Amino acid sequence: MNKVFALIDCNNFYASCERLFRPELQGKPIVVLSNNDGCIVARSNEAKALGLSMGAPYFKNKALIRKHNVQVFSSNYALYGDLSHRVMRVLQDMEPDVEIYSIDEAFISLPAGNNLAAYAKSMKARVEKYVGIPVSIGIAPTKTLAKIANRFAKKNAQHQGAFEIRNHENSDELLSTVGVGEVWGIGRKSTEKLNRQGIHNALQLKNADDQWIRKHLTVTGLRTVMELRGTSCLPLDHSLPTKKSIISSRSFGSPVNTLPDLREAIATHIAIAAEKLRKQKSAAGSIHVFIYTNRFKKDTPQYAGNIMMTLSQPSACTPTIIKSALQGLERIYKPGYAYNKAGIMITELVPQNHLQQNLFCSENIENTPLMATVDRINTRWGRNTLQFAAAGLAKPWGMKQAHKSPAYTTNWPDIPVVTASF
Amino acid sequence: MSLRADYSISEIYGFEQKIRVLRPLFSSGVSAGFPSPAEDYIEQRLDLNELLIKNPAATFFVRVNGDSMIGAGINHNDILIVDRSLEPVSGKIVIAIINGEFTVKKLIKHGHSCKLVAENPAYPTVELTEESSCEIWGVVTCSINQF
């Protein structure tokens, strides 16, 4: 049976999540900031109309934001994660073949048919009713075209949030209006190459010479071209690829000078990463530790230290990894610098069930139940209910999150209040 | 911190051991004696979620502030279970948005007109005309009153 792809994409997802529990913000401009309140990472349509751009630094736009009374939110990943999960669940209840592509996008494989745009509209209506998050749906014979169809669904109000691209019907005319750089999988470097070759829009890319594409954009680029021609090369991907490495790093709210503060930061990052590590049932073979001064402050002394520590045997045990990481930190730490970022990357991941036993260390036998208990408690009662003493309690280096909304759906004291007094 | 003091020996003489040692982990005790006669009759335990939440993806919790719904058994500070997947038909208790604010009321529909009714004589009924902006956010299925 012939299949087509639908791409469901949540509109202005983070901003929509914030608005769901703040009905008075209907129709008002909203922006959501990145970790540490650095950049704008999501905008409501009203904020887009004011000219606030994606990725723009918050501090540079403060005047504009104040002038138009734009509501500002720090990222609230507990909220976005929960609502994302709900959206995906509604989709999975409707369709058996769903690929969760990102926090706010899913591909669905559908049997080809006649009235798919109408069906897409019913899907859209269901997600919006059940979860309260507006979505747009693009349908096409390939994933790459579905991405483009989604863009039209979103941009042109007359499509009412759902749009289908069919082979040999409307596709060529539409593709000529899409820049190559906007095609899924075509990055900045490829765009430059294509532009130099006189290829500026998706239609020109579709009709490009196979040999040239293969030579300059490799087989990956050729796949994209085939997909533009309506030949599906990218099936739904259900394997959540186990990560090869896990990174946790963050800029400090204010610069950090002392080793004890850095120790706490590194231990906290390890705790976060090790939990993820255990969730995917892996163990780490080595850890990179890095600390940076602020490279944008040219007038202050600059230093960047990093080191790789190898564990005597792969481990998923937080205390073991913290111990090794802190040894590394002591070796790279230099006093007298104002550090503004610290982080870790755990690598050489191996599946836990392939662990080799080391004669000198019995930690995996001893600690597995302990770590499982720690993870269970933290999942149930919220992150950091149980934490490792090395991670510290005060966290003076913590994140700047001046505008964070409550965890409306994941923390009892934070649930929304409804009035019964009028 | 005495990190260097307990630097593990294995790290200095690190070697790779190729033999995989598997040790059994007994999660339950080894039974000695008669098996429990109740074992065959154990079914699942009662789960409140199963009773109260039909559609988890569409279900939200909110807290009540005020006494305008006490006639419906909804008290100040109760937690309401709200199911957005249900149709707000006449007679349902709903979460409505009035003037940008969440409120809990009973929805009554008469043909094309509808009104939001408080379950407490001290509060007036809100008539919904075409102009007055009102959106139904979800349908209340249960009120939890913790003593």
Side-chain angles (χ1 to χ4, degrees):
Chain A
M1 187 169 36
N2 254 341
K3 293 273 190 182
V4 295
F5 293 91
L7 174 67
I8 290 88
D9 188 0
C10 301
N11 301 346
N12 313 327
F13 182 56
Y14 297 170
S16 300
C17 292
E18 298 290 353
R19 189 178 265 166
L20 180 59
F21 298 101
R22 294 284 299 275
E24 80 277 17
L25 297 180
Q26 213 60 255
K28 305 259 163 64
I30 294 176
V31 295
V32 179
L33 306 177
S34 60
N35 275 341
N36 231 355
D37 291 351
C39 304
I40 295 172
V41 291
R43 305 156 296 156
S44 69
N45 287 340
E46 299 79 9
K48 286 178 189 173
L50 290 174
L52 290 163
S53 52
M54 190 71 175
Y58 172 47
F59 73 92
K60 280 192 180 166
N61 288 281
K62 268 189 175 163
L64 187 61
I65 283 170
R66 209 168 300 138
K67 185 176 163 204
H68 295 280
N69 201 15
V70 178
Q71 279 290 322
V72 177
F73 292 96
S74 305
S75 322
N76 182 348
Y77 285 103
L79 177 65
Y80 312 150
D82 177 70
L83 291 172
S84 165
H85 183 74
R86 289 166 183 263
V87 170
M88 301 307 169
R89 188 146 172 188
V90 172
L91 295 174
Q92 283 162 338
D93 283 347
M94 293 183 83
E95 282 298 326
D97 224 359
V98 179
E99 174 197 346
I100 298 169
Y101 179 66
S102 72
I103 192 166
D104 59 355
E105 291 170 288
F107 283 108
I108 298 184
S109 169
L110 298 171
N114 278 330
N115 215 348
L116 288 176
Y119 177 61
K121 274 173 202 156
S122 73
M123 254 183 186
K124 171 183 155 67
R126 163 118 33 134
V127 172
E128 292 180 5
K129 177 169 165 54
Y130 283 22
V131 193
I133 298 294
V135 299
S136 300
I137 303 184
I139 298 176
T142 70
K143 279 180 157 183
T144 305
L145 287 171
K147 274 263 187 189
I148 293 174
N150 189 286
R151 215 182 66 121
F152 284 105
K154 197 163 286 174
K155 290 267 157 75
N156 302 4
Q158 80 265 24
H159 302 315
Q160 296 169 305
F163 184 69
E164 183 179 7
I165 292 179
R166 290 196 202 88
N167 271 346
H168 312 300
E169 276 185 33
N170 49 5
S171 66
D172 277 12
E173 200 185 321
L174 289 172
L175 292 182
S176 68
T177 67
V178 177
V180 276
E182 292 164 77
V183 175
W184 191 41
I186 302 293
R188 197 171 46 86
K189 282 231 168 86
S190 301
T191 305
E192 282 166 12
K193 275 187 208 166
L194 289 164
N195 286 349
R196 276 198 299 274
Q197 199 64 16
I199 297 171
H200 296 280
N201 64 50
L203 179 60
Q204 291 169 317
L205 180 60
K206 173 184 171 180
N207 296 327
D209 176 53
D210 288 8
Q211 303 263 308
W212 188 92
I213 294 289
R214 181 190 269 277
K215 188 166 171 216
H216 292 91
L217 302 185
T218 74
V219 69
T220 317
L222 189 57
R223 215 176 279 150
T224 300
V225 172
M226 298 299 288
E227 286 242 318
L228 286 176
R229 290 173 190 164
T231 307
S232 177
C233 305
L234 301 164
L236 285 197
D237 185 358
H238 295 293
S239 62
L240 265 184
T242 15
K243 288 187 185 140
K244 297 276 179 354
S245 66
I246 298 172
I247 299 178
S248 178
S249 77
R250 192 163 280 159
S251 300
F252 298 126
S254 53
V256 162
N257 298 295
T258 68
L259 187 54
D261 283 350
L262 285 173
R263 264 201 208 115
E264 288 187 7
I266 293 294
T268 302
H269 288 310
I270 298 278
I272 292 168
E275 193 183 322
K276 288 184 190 162
L277 184 69
R278 291 190 290 271
K279 207 171 256 171
Q280 67 169 46
K281 303 212 185 312
S282 301
S286 63
I287 313 131
H288 298 256
V289 180
F290 48 89
I291 49 177
Y292 300 140
T293 54
N294 189 345
R295 65 196 164 90
F296 295 109
K297 285 199 172 151
K298 298 268 188 261
D299 49 331
T300 60
Q302 297 288 308
Y303 172 66
N306 80 84
I307 190 169
M308 190 184 101
M309 303 295 286
T310 303
L311 294 168
S312 61
Q313 68 163 3
S315 171
C317 171
T318 305
T320 306
I321 306 176
I322 287 179
K323 195 171 100 183
S324 175
L326 293 185
Q327 286 167 356
L329 174 65
E330 302 217 354
R331 289 196 211 164
I332 56 173
Y333 172 74
K334 285 190 185 171
Y337 291 95
Y339 295 96
N340 93 315
K341 187 170 191 163
I344 57 100
M345 176 167 76
I346 50 186
T347 56
E348 293 179 45
L349 305 191
V350 295
Q352 263 176 21
N353 53 3
H354 292 165
L355 279 188
Q356 300 170 344
Q357 288 299 329
N358 182 322
L359 268 183
F360 298 104
C361 180
S362 57
E363 63 139 76
N364 289 297
I365 300 288
E366 281 170 20
N367 272 318
T368 308
L370 172 63
M371 289 301 110
T373 305
V374 168
D375 291 347
R376 213 161 38 233
I377 289 173
N378 282 340
T379 306
R380 176 139 180 212
W381 303 103
R383 175 161 272 164
N384 295 335
T385 302
L386 268 191
Q387 57 172 315
F388 295 88
L393 289 173
K395 296 193 187 358
W397 43 270
M399 243 208 304
K400 233 187 284 173
Q401 289 187 314
H403 310 281
K404 193 164 163 190
S405 54
Y408 296 111
T409 57
T410 53
N411 191 25
W412 284 113
D414 284 359
I415 63 175
V417 172
V418 300
T419 52
S421 52
F422 63 84
Chain B
M1 272 201 131
S2 59
L3 285 170
R4 280 168 209 285
D6 56 7
Y7 213 75
S8 70
I9 290 172
S10 57
E11 226 163 296
I12 298 167
Y13 299 99
F15 67 96
E16 220 180 317
Q17 191 173 337
K18 299 284 185 197
I19 305 161
R20 239 177 101 203
V21 184
L22 292 174
R23 300 187 205 177
L25 246 181
F26 295 103
S27 60
S28 61
V30 181
S31 82
F34 292 108
S36 161
E39 211 149 80
D40 291 343
Y41 298 94
I42 294 174
E43 288 180 23
Q44 61 171 43
R45 279 179 251 171
L46 293 176
D47 181 0
L48 274 177
N49 288 315
E50 186 196 359
L51 178 73
L52 301 176
I53 298 174
K54 303 296 176 216
N55 194 331
T59 299
F60 295 85
F61 302 106
V62 299
R63 191 175 291 280
V64 177
N65 181 29
D67 60 358
S68 70
M69 292 299 284
I70 47 171
I74 296 175
N75 299 303
H76 175 62
N77 237 11
D78 279 5
I79 290 173
L80 304 181
I81 301 181
V82 182
D83 188 342
R84 289 180 56 102
S85 71
L86 299 176
E87 278 312 311
V89 294
S90 187
K92 290 278 184 197
I93 293 171
V94 297
I95 302 298
I97 298 168
I98 299 179
N99 299 326
E101 198 178 345
F102 285 128
T103 182
V104 53
K105 298 272 186 198
K106 181 182 251 183
L107 178 70
I108 300 290
K109 288 182 175 172
H110 285 295
H112 287 294
S113 77
C114 55
K115 53 189 178 183
L116 293 170
V117 184
E119 291 277 7
N120 180 340
Y123 296 92
T125 292
V126 180
E127 298 282 348
L128 295 177
T129 57
E130 298 269 338
E131 302 93 66
S132 71
S133 69
C134 171
E135 185 195 328
I136 305 300
W137 196 87
V139 173
V140 176
T141 60
C142 174
S143 180
I144 300 166
N145 179 5
Q146 284 176 294
F147 306 117

